[in-house]
Every structure is written in structure tokens, then in C-alpha cells.
Amino acid sequence: QGLRHLHLSMDLPIAIGATVTYLYSSYVTISGSTTHEVYFDTVVNFLFVILVGRYLEAISKRQAVSSTQRLLDLQPKVATVLAGSGEKVVPIRAVKPGDTVLVRAGDKVPVDGTVLEGRSSVDESMLTGEPLPVTKTAGDTVSAGTVNTHSALTLRVEQTLKDTALGRIIRLVEQAQASKAPIQCTADRVVPWFVATTLFLATVTFAWWVRSDFEVALMAATAVLIITCPCAFGLATPMAIAVASGLGARNGVLVKNGAVLETLSDITHFVFDKTGTLTEGRLRVREVVPAPGFDADGVLAVVAPAERYSEHAIARAIVEHAESRAASDAAVSGFESLPGHGVRAQVDGQTVLVGTADWLRANGADPAAELEKRRWERESDGYTCIHVAVDGRPAGFIALADQLRPDAAQLVESLRSAGLRLTLLSGDRRRVAEAIARQLGGMEVIAEVLPADKDHVISKLQRQGDRVAMVGDGVNDAPALTRADVGIAVGSGTDVSVESADIVLMSDELDKVRLAAMLSRRTLRTIRQNIGISIVYNVIMVPLAMMAFVTPLVAAVSMPMSSLAVIGNAARIRTLFKRSGSTPSAQQEGSGPRPAFPSSHSIRTE
């Protein structure tokens, strides 16, 4: 088949060796020669050993990439459908969107659906990595493969099989395992030359020995053809990528293609979105500061009705705070939202502006000096301040604050100690972003950037020569995630981040960013080790075969052993994680104390 497509495949040397040896033995048999030997037993033996070796390779490969199968095993095979005649257990393929299914306590959820009746806790650790069960009541969504731990739930089916969140994860893992990294593309280009070299060496061997003994020449050339089969070289990259992709998926790190693993190991600059990435993304109102002539409740009374029409996180925080204070609900008309600036609306006949100080100033509502001073004080402490104007008069501002994720400082310190450049990219005011950066120990800050302009910032950093990884929440940051050399979406495994990011973290644990970087470096190092194993094996064994010290049978035993060595080395990537939950060991990659993150030099060269 390879010759038909003008391609020198890895099977060609074995095919030539077996065919030539068989034809020579047949000639000796037919000719009736009593002075020459037949080698039918050699042909049968080395083909048998090669096939046994490939069978062992298949078993080892299946075990090495078994993570995908484990994900498939999470999908229940049947579901209990509620129909007019009662309950009916049917194969999952027979379930359709819109059906009603019953999930009893202890059962796996068979579909993606919405809870219609019941209240229970659902273990979603297989999707999010979060160990604590999540309470589900009517109106909440559940995902296939999660476990209902307490009481029965009745669900309306939304998605089944490959369309579920679990199905999409499995599809991503399979795509990653089938993809090729740049280093593998190089290896694939080398293989035909490898085969051509093998054929040349076998010809040279035959020509050398045929002058003294034809049968020695035949066996030596056949041994060269078999022993240099570049299977180990061909397996070096795909096995490492398959193991790494499956291992990452089991630990909440979805890698979309093999090239990402190679690129991530070469990153020199990490850019972090602030809200929803380094912080929890849940703003809370900390203080309402009224201007002279207004009071806090009065400010909330006009702001909250207008903000109810906005989907912004700041708007939701203000509305929640107002509802907790039982603020009044006024009539609203003429609502207008200006992304990056604020909102405008008519509240009980008054024109209300809620947004940045610069935007209010541009609309003729310049805050008083005292109010500006108090705002600067709050922003210096990391608060986000939203100004309010009523009928052109400054009415005060609302100070909101987000909380840093517990592991944000640890991640930033690990990256900083590696000598990597770190940048905080935010649409928030510079003083707020700088306050967050100080809490994290310091990093470059690029603030007051509109969502649409974030990808331009990434492009500018790339033009400066940096290899940039963008870490964001996967929604507002989609253009920047796509623009970066590697886009990493945190905690957004089922939304637009799957399309825009290269790596999707299935939980909000920032430590998985470090874990993904470790996985990429370990994978690239394993690929290079595997290529080294293949080269060393051939450097040692080929000269021995050319010197007629190796029989075809010994060659047939040695060749699959080299492939098994490559597979076994790829499987060692699993030692990167110490499976206590999904937490990586503090000393995964060697004995003795090691830094939490390797040096920047090792990131670029390992």
C-alpha cells in the first residue's frame, strides 16, 4: 500500500525480508539442491515473533491511552424514562431531547438535562474536579456522567451522547490524541528516509557477504531489514501525546491538540485576565458613598432599577445588594448600555447615568473634588468604583470588590520564580488593577482595556518577540485566547472557551495552569527521550546485524522490544501526577526538593 502511494512505509523492510527469504527457500526446494539450506522456519518464526510483539504493543498502547476509555465508561448505557405507562428502562441511544428521565439516588446521570422535580446533591468531580457535591433543585442543570448522591431527581433531557458536555470532552481528547505536534511532523518526514537508509544498508550488507557465502549474505541482509524497522521512531511522538492528553483529561486539563503541548513548553510570557481568572469573579458592594444632598439608600434606589436591565457582573452585584437592603423598585424606560462605559436610563422620570468617572465627566456630570479623593482612596485599596449621576448632578459612587482566588498568589509566585514575564490584563481602572497586582506580589499591569482590544494587546506582545500564553475565563476573553500562542480558559469547559482556547481547565483551580505547563514540558521531554531510545537502539543493533552477528529471529525479537521500551517510557508521563485527588505531587519529577516551577531556561529547552 505504501509503494502504491509512492511512500516508503515502516512495514516495507519487513515485507522485503520475509518475501526474499521465502522466495529463496522456495527456489532451493524446487531446484532440488542438496547443498543449500531452506529458511521457511526462519520466515515463520520471525513473522510470528513480530506479530506477537505488535500484539503486545497494542495492549501497551491501549493501557497507555486508557484515559479515553475511562471517560467513555462514565457514560451510563441505560436510562429510566418516565412515560404515560410508567417507568421504562431503555438504552441511552433511544433517549431523545424532551424526554423525562428519573435518576435515583446513587445512579449516574445519563444525559445533560434540567431538573424538573426533586432536590439532591450531585457529585460533579468528573467534570469540574471539585470534590464537594453540588445541590441541585428545580431549574438547575445536570450533566451526563455525574453522580446523584442523595435523593431522586426528575430531569427533562436536553442533550444525549456525543452532544453532552461529557461527549464533547471525549471528542476533544480523541482529537488531541490523533493530532500531530510539529516535532511529530518532523519525525514523519524522516521516516521515509529512515526506510530508504535501511534498504541501502541491507543492500550493502548483502553485497559485502555474498562474495563469501550467499546464505550468510541473505540472513545478514534480512536481519538488517528487520532490526532497523523504525516502529519505535514512529511511535515516539504519538504515544507521548496520547498518554499526556488522556492524563490531562483525567485531571481536568483538556488539551485540544498535540501542537499545544509543544508550544506551551516554549512560553515566555503569561498574561492573566483579572476578573473571573485571578479573582473569583463575584463582585460585592462594599460601600455606597453619596455626594452632598444624597444618601446611600437614595443612590441605590435609582441605580438598582436601571442595572436590572444589564447583564454585567457589576450590575448583578448592585442589584443583589439593593434587594438585600429592600430598596425601592422604580419605573424604568429608555435603558441604554454602552460597553466599557456604563448605562443610561430614565428612572421615575430622572435621567440616571451609572458608569466610569470619565464617561460621566464627558456627559457633563463632573464629580466633586472631595468625591474624587474618596474614590481614589478606595481604588488604591483594590476597589472598583462606579459613579452615579442623576439629572446631570453627581450623586456619589458605589465601591465594589472582588476576592482573589486562594491559589492565585501561589501560582503567580511559581511563575515569577521561573523568570517568566507576567502581565495583568484588565478592563478595570488602572489603580484597581495595580492594587490587585500588589496583592499578588507585583507584575506588569495593562488596564482600562476594552474586551475587543485585548487581542491587540496580545498581538503587540508577540511582535516584541514574546511567546504568549493568555489565561482567561473564556467568554469575554475569547479573541485574546485565540490570538495568544496558547489560550488557557479557566473553569469554562462547556462554553465558548472550548472553541477559542487551546487548553480548557475544567475547574476554577488556578494551580492547573502550572500543572498544564508541567505536562507540556514532560511530554516534550518524553518525545525526545523516545526518539533518543530509537536512535541508540539502531546505532547499536544495525552494525551487529551488518556483521552477521544477529539472526533474523533475534532481530524479530529485538525490534518489538524497542517499540515496547518507547511505549513504556511514554506511560511514565503518568508519574507526573500523584493521584491524591488530582493534586500534583510536590516532587513529581525527581527525588529531592524541587522548586514548584522549573527555571525559565528549562521551560524553553527541556
Side-chain angles (χ1 to χ4, degrees):
Q1 291 178 359
L3 292 175
R4 187 180 298 126
H5 295 91
L6 302 179
H7 178 75
L8 299 181
S9 69
M10 293 184 287
D11 285 328
L12 182 60
I14 296 176
I16 291 176
T19 301
V20 171
T21 305
Y22 181 82
L23 291 176
Y24 173 75
S25 300
S26 299
Y27 165 76
V28 172
T29 301
I30 294 171
S31 67
S33 172
T34 58
T35 58
H36 295 90
E37 298 289 340
V38 294
Y39 296 95
F40 291 117
D41 56 336
T42 299
V43 175
V44 171
N45 282 335
F46 80 66
L47 286 179
F48 173 75
V49 171
I50 287 172
L51 291 175
V52 169
R54 292 195 173 182
Y55 175 71
L56 295 175
E57 285 178 27
I59 293 175
S60 299
K61 283 191 283 187
R62 186 163 59 247
Q63 291 175 345
V65 299
S66 58
S67 297
T68 306
Q69 183 59 47
R70 291 192 182 98
L71 289 172
L72 289 170
D73 291 341
L74 292 172
Q75 172 65 61
K77 304 300 185 289
V78 297
T80 302
V81 176
L82 299 179
S85 57
E87 300 178 8
K88 185 178 181 181
V89 178
V90 301
I92 190 63
R93 292 186 179 277
V95 179
K96 301 291 187 293
D99 289 349
T100 302
V101 299
L102 175 67
V103 184
R104 294 184 172 87
D107 288 350
K108 287 183 179 178
V109 178
V111 297
D112 280 10
T114 303
V115 178
L116 296 177
E117 297 179 11
R119 179 185 178 88
S120 183
S121 295
V122 176
D123 181 356
E124 297 183 331
S125 58
M126 51 75 63
L127 276 180
T128 65
E130 299 293 341
L132 297 178
V134 179
T135 301
K136 299 290 184 179
T137 58
D140 292 336
T141 58
V142 293
S143 300
T146 57
V147 181
N148 181 21
T149 60
H150 284 91
S151 58
L153 292 173
T154 302
L155 312 178
R156 182 180 63 250
V157 178
E158 305 292 348
Q159 302 288 352
T160 63
L161 296 173
K162 66 179 182 180
D163 296 323
T164 64
L166 176 61
R168 291 193 291 272
I169 291 171
I170 293 172
R171 188 162 62 251
L172 280 176
V173 174
E174 290 175 340
Q175 289 172 355
Q177 291 179 339
S179 65
K180 294 184 178 183
I183 194 171
Q184 182 179 353
C185 296
T186 302
D188 290 346
R189 288 194 295 269
V190 169
V191 165
W193 294 98
F194 198 112
V195 173
T197 302
T198 297
L199 297 177
F200 173 75
L201 293 176
T203 303
V204 170
T205 302
F206 181 83
W208 176 268
W209 287 103
V210 75
R211 294 177 298 178
S212 57
D213 190 318
F214 180 85
E215 292 181 355
V216 171
L218 180 64
M219 291 298 100
T222 301
V224 171
L225 288 171
I226 296 170
I227 209 163
T228 57
C229 178
C231 296
F233 192 76
L235 285 171
T237 299
M239 278 307 305
I241 288 176
V243 172
S245 300
L247 181 63
R250 284 169 51 196
N251 288 274
V253 179
L254 284 181
V255 180
K256 291 183 67 173
N257 60 73
V260 173
L261 290 170
E262 185 172 341
T263 305
L264 183 58
S265 66
D266 200 34
I267 290 299
T268 60
H269 193 156
F270 274 84
V271 177
F272 291 90
D273 175 53
K274 180 178 74 68
T275 305
T277 303
L278 291 175
T279 65
E280 293 181 349
R282 296 179 59 189
L283 286 168
R284 293 180 176 84
V285 174
R286 303 299 185 185
E287 186 180 8
V288 178
V289 180
F294 293 86
D295 59 65
D297 289 340
V299 171
L300 280 176
V302 294
V303 171
E307 293 286 24
R308 280 198 179 91
Y309 292 86
S310 173
E311 294 297 322
H312 198 282
I314 289 176
R316 290 195 298 270
I318 292 174
V319 171
E320 288 177 4
H321 182 74
E323 290 175 347
S324 69
R325 298 274 297 260
S328 63
D329 188 7
V332 180
S333 62
F335 175 82
E336 181 183 5
S337 177
L338 299 171
H341 300 294
V343 300
R344 177 189 287 112
Q346 294 291 321
V347 180
D348 279 347
Q350 302 176 94
T351 301
V352 178
L353 303 180
V354 186
T356 66
D358 291 339
W359 183 59
L360 265 66
R361 193 175 292 115
N363 282 272
D366 195 358
E370 180 61 27
L371 206 59
E372 281 286 83
K373 178 182 177 182
R374 297 180 68 179
R375 174 176 68 86
W376 277 72
E377 291 173 352
R378 303 302 187 276
E379 289 184 349
S380 297
D381 294 331
Y383 289 85
T384 296
C385 295
I386 302 300
H387 278 264
V388 181
V390 178
D391 288 335
R393 292 176 54 207
F397 66 84
I398 300 174
L400 304 95
D402 196 359
Q403 189 170 340
L404 282 174
R405 294 192 187 277
D407 50 356
Q410 180 182 354
L411 172 65
V412 170
E413 176 57 33
S414 298
L415 297 174
R416 185 186 299 110
S417 65
L420 297 173
R421 285 188 64 189
L422 302 177
T423 296
L424 178 63
L425 181 61
S426 175
D428 213 336
R429 295 186 63 83
R430 169 166 291 276
R431 292 175 63 83
V432 176
E434 288 176 344
I436 294 294
R438 285 195 299 272
Q439 294 178 41
L440 293 170
M443 66 173 74
E444 296 178 43
V445 173
I446 301 177
E448 301 179 24
V449 180
L450 296 176
D453 295 331
K454 287 185 177 181
D455 66 318
H456 298 310
V457 174
I458 299 297
S459 180
K460 181 180 178 181
L461 294 174
Q462 290 171 326
R463 289 196 298 271
Q464 294 173 359
D466 288 345
R467 300 277 283 175
V468 180
M470 172 69 187
V471 186
D473 64 8
V475 182
N476 296 329
D477 304 315
L481 290 170
T482 303
R483 175 76 62 181
D485 295 288
V486 176
I488 304 176
V490 179
S492 306
T494 58
D495 59 20
V496 71
S497 65
V498 173
E499 301 299 329
S500 58
D502 301 300
I503 296 176
V504 180
L505 308 184
M506 296 304 296
S507 72
D508 293 331
E509 297 176 39
L510 278 178
D511 189 62
K512 292 191 185 296
V513 174
R514 180 176 66 91
L515 187 147
M518 292 168 61
L519 183 63
S520 72
R521 293 191 308 279
R522 183 62 174 267
T523 302
L524 193 60
R525 187 173 69 185
T526 299
I527 290 172
R528 290 170 175 162
Q529 288 173 347
N530 285 348
I531 292 174
I533 290 172
S534 175
I535 292 173
V536 169
Y537 161 80
N538 284 289
V539 166
I540 294 173
M541 298 303 293
V542 170
L544 293 177
M546 294 181 70
M547 290 186 288
F549 290 161
V550 177
T551 67
L553 184 59
V554 172
V557 171
S558 302
M559 186 269 290
M561 291 299 292
S562 66
S563 298
L564 290 173
V566 165
I567 294 170
N569 189 51
R572 289 177 60 245
I573 294 176
R574 291 174 175 172
T575 62
L576 181 66
F577 298 92
K578 181 180 179 181
R579 288 306 300 264
S580 173
S582 60
T583 305
S585 168
Q587 300 179 16
Q588 300 102 328
E589 297 193 43
S591 58
R594 294 180 64 87
F597 207 88
S599 69
S600 57
H601 176 74
S602 67
I603 289 174
R604 290 190 290 270
T605 61
E606 265 190 322

